[in-house]
Amino acid sequence: MQPQIILLKEGTDSSQGVPQIVSNINACQAIADAVRTTLGPRGMDKLIINDQGKATISNDGATILKILDIVHPAAKTLVDIAKSQDAEVGDGTTSVTLLAGEFLKEAKPFIEEAVHPQIIIKAFRKAATEAVKKIKEISVRINKSDPKEMRQLLEKCAATSLSSKLVAHQKDFFTKMVVDAVMLLDELLPLNMIGVKKVTGGGLEDSVLIAGVAFKKTFSYAGFEMQPKKYTKLKIALLNIELELKAERDNAEVRVDSVEEYQSIVDAEWKILYDKLDILHKSGAKVILSKLPIGDVATQYFADRDMFCAGRVVEEDLKRTMKACGGSIQTTVQNLSPDVLGSCETFEEIQIGGERYNLFTGCPQARTCTIILRGGAEQFIEETERSLHDAIMIVRRTMKNDAVVAGGGAIEMELSKHLRNLSRTIAGKEQLLMGAMAKALEIIPRQLCENAGFDATNILNKLRQRHAQGGIWYGVDVLNEDIADNFENCVWEPAVVKINAITAAAEASCLILSVDETVKNPKAQQDGPPGGGMGRGRGRPM
Ligand code: ADP
Ligand code: MG
């Protein structure tokens, strides 16, 4: 009998070889199944309740996978690519997960028949490169110099992104808003210059876009009622200073022997505060914003002098005001020269729903805007925000790179055809593998059909025929249960979304195919000395 060799600690869980790859593939398919039904304009939404009982309704692949809290190590890869797709391009997160799941599904029979994973990986990489090349070749460039054409293009891309969301009914309304919002930004299109605020109540269509900074009125002390609520052509002081009486006393320990001494300290405190307020008043600023609290004495002081103040302004809002209106945030009042003050055309405090909002418009420096979302349930507004985020990202992407392709499965069908034709020119196993990849790409139109309740086989056959005849932009027409030229129907998507999705999905599936062993160390013993479970490899005796 052979002696048994013990290599790993007792309790180590290790599995390897073909069954391991197949089990990883199965896990990834389970992930793809979780988001499958959300794809496309007729996709369903998911309601997820987390461990704290918070409910989220979402249609966004990345959001769903993030909340699901997946623990399977291989399946986590898919969650990661969905997240990175979200960060890179902002849309196409469901597509990327589905594609990766489908690539793996097509690879499974080969693995089971003992084709070496490296051969599959090589073929998949090649196919992905070819697909990307093809997208670049056929994507349509739009003339950027014509503002009208550009705007049309942007609206179409935003509309395609929104048509698969909960807010699809208000698509036209939000499309305009999103494009306006992005158009208000400057060259670099910084995302953080679009503020999104949510106010429950009212209808979705009561949402407004404000060309400037807006934030919820902060907590105010008595006296604010007397402050004016509207100015034009004003100066703004941005502070990080506490304008409250108690402030100085808390900074040090003071010992006093008599009432007079105490009184002099109190007087000094008042004087310090009043000196600050006087300087602020003299600086010519009409609106005083501070990150720290502004107390009742200061509030009253400003009210008496026809000035407005707001304390405890959220840092993000304060920074956005600074970027928009100019000036800089001051930590002392000593050098309040005119150039550190911001300025804008109008300041106004208005009522939106049950909340009061401070608005700054006509800002000279950077270009910024704020979307104030209205709507019934909180979850609904949150999903609206996520949908708008996708659309905003798409519009930004399109403004930066102006190539588009037709969506609704059109581009995927064309790529599928291209790869299938290409595979016929290759000899050996690679031919079959590239064919498998071509088949996998059909998952997007197939799922779009299935989610809309159409006969997928029928429609896919029609699409294959049409593409073979040269109709490169034919895709699923979700309104008429048929196929249609989606380029003419204006179902457009930026080419970069598709390029990123295919590359990321191919990379992820190659990664999963290349793992043939998982070793899981046993859990550290509970009652050992602290850190004792680390054992080997840490310079400890074995
Ligand atoms: P993702 O997270 O991948 O963006 P979506 O649920 O947004 O998932 O669905 C996107 C898919 O729906 C894309 O393939 C897109 O082309 C398709 N799509 C969007 N609008 C339409 C439409 N009006 N007709 C057909 N397909 C559409
Ligand atoms: Mg989308």
Side-chain angles (χ1 to χ4, degrees), residues 217 219-227 243-244 273 277 293-311:
K217 175 177 183 49
F219 171 80
S220 318
Y221 285 98
F224 81 91
E225 310 88 351
M226 293 159 57
Q227 291 178 336
L243 294 174
E244 246 180 331
L273 178 65
L277 296 178
I294 294 181
D296 46 357
V297 177
T299 309
Q300 192 62 51
Y301 178 96
F302 290 135
D304 291 345
R305 283 161 188 78
D306 180 32
M307 291 160 78
F308 179 89
C309 69

Side-chain angles (χ1 to χ4, degrees), residues 20-21 23-25 27-32 61-62 65-66 69-86 93 96-101 104 125 500-501 503-515 518:
Q20 176 58 30
I21 304 184
S23 116
N24 281 346
I25 292 179
C28 292
Q29 278 180 265
I31 297 280
L65 292 180
K66 228 182 282 171
D69 205 3
I70 310 275
V71 292
H72 192 283
K76 263 192 182 159
T77 322
L78 291 206
V79 182
D80 287 344
I81 56 168
K83 277 194 208 159
S84 79
Q85 175 89 10
D86 196 28
T93 52
V96 74
T97 320
L98 273 187
L99 282 175
L104 287 168
R125 288 234 165 94
N500 207 66
T503 329
E507 269 317 308
S509 37
C510 290
L511 183 74
I512 285 163
L513 289 175
S514 68
V515 174
T518 315

Side-chain angles (χ1 to χ4, degrees), residues 35 37-44 59-62 85 90-98 159-165 171 390 394 405-412 444-445 448 451 475-479 486 489-493 497-498 501:
V35 292
T37 55
T38 67
L39 183 81
R42 294 290 165 88
M44 313 293 274
N59 177 282
D60 183 52
Q85 175 89 10
D91 197 16
T93 52
T94 315
S95 311
V96 74
T97 320
L98 273 187
T160 310
S161 175
L162 286 176
S163 68
S164 59
K165 306 287 182 200
K171 191 168 70 182
D390 279 14
I394 284 303
V405 294
I411 182 72
E412 284 85 2
I444 301 287
L448 285 172
N451 288 353
V476 183
D477 181 352
V478 286
L479 299 177
N486 275 351
N489 276 0
C490 301
V491 183
W492 294 359
E493 284 187 278
V497 172
K498 294 296 171 194

Side-chain angles (χ1 to χ4, degrees), residues 195-356:
V196 180
K197 306 278 163 189
K198 293 165 274 187
V199 185
T200 38
L204 268 182
E205 256 119 357
D206 295 330
S207 306
V208 280
L209 174 73
I210 290 159
V213 185
F215 52 83
K216 201 162 112 186
K217 175 177 183 49
T218 54
F219 171 80
S220 318
Y221 285 98
F224 81 91
E225 310 88 351
M226 293 159 57
Q227 291 178 336
K229 303 293 189 292
K230 181 163 183 170
Y231 297 107
T232 45
K233 295 214 184 309
L234 62 146
K235 295 266 177 230
I236 306 160
L238 305 160
L239 308 175
N240 188 5
I241 305 174
E242 193 165 354
L243 294 174
E244 246 180 331
L245 261 185
K246 71 169 178 37
E248 312 301 331
R249 182 171 48 201
D250 288 345
N251 287 340
E253 183 181 309
V254 183
R255 295 188 181 206
V256 289
D257 296 322
S258 65
V259 176
E260 288 76 25
E261 271 181 49
Y262 181 72
Q263 186 59 44
S264 70
I265 291 169
V266 173
D267 288 347
E269 277 185 354
W270 279 80
K271 186 167 175 330
I272 291 170
L273 178 65
Y274 272 112
D275 283 352
K276 282 188 195 165
L277 296 178
D278 282 337
I279 296 175
L280 281 170
H281 177 220
K282 289 204 189 87
S283 74
K286 275 290 180 198
V287 172
I288 314 285
L289 302 179
S290 179
K291 208 178 113 186
L292 296 174
I294 294 181
D296 46 357
V297 177
T299 309
Q300 192 62 51
Y301 178 96
F302 290 135
D304 291 345
R305 283 161 188 78
D306 180 32
M307 291 160 78
F308 179 89
C309 69
R312 293 199 178 100
V313 178
V314 182
E315 185 164 8
E316 185 191 320
D317 291 330
L318 198 65
K319 282 207 176 128
R320 219 150 57 80
T321 316
M322 178 180 84
K323 287 215 183 102
C325 303
S328 56
I329 298 175
Q330 297 293 306
T331 44
T332 118
V333 290
Q334 295 315 322
N335 33 20
L336 268 186
S337 51
D339 56 313
V340 302
L341 296 180
S343 65
C344 72
E345 280 301 311
T346 44
F347 162 80
E348 220 179 331
E349 184 176 312
I350 57 165
Q351 186 83 21
I352 297 177
E355 319 261 15
R356 294 196 69 81

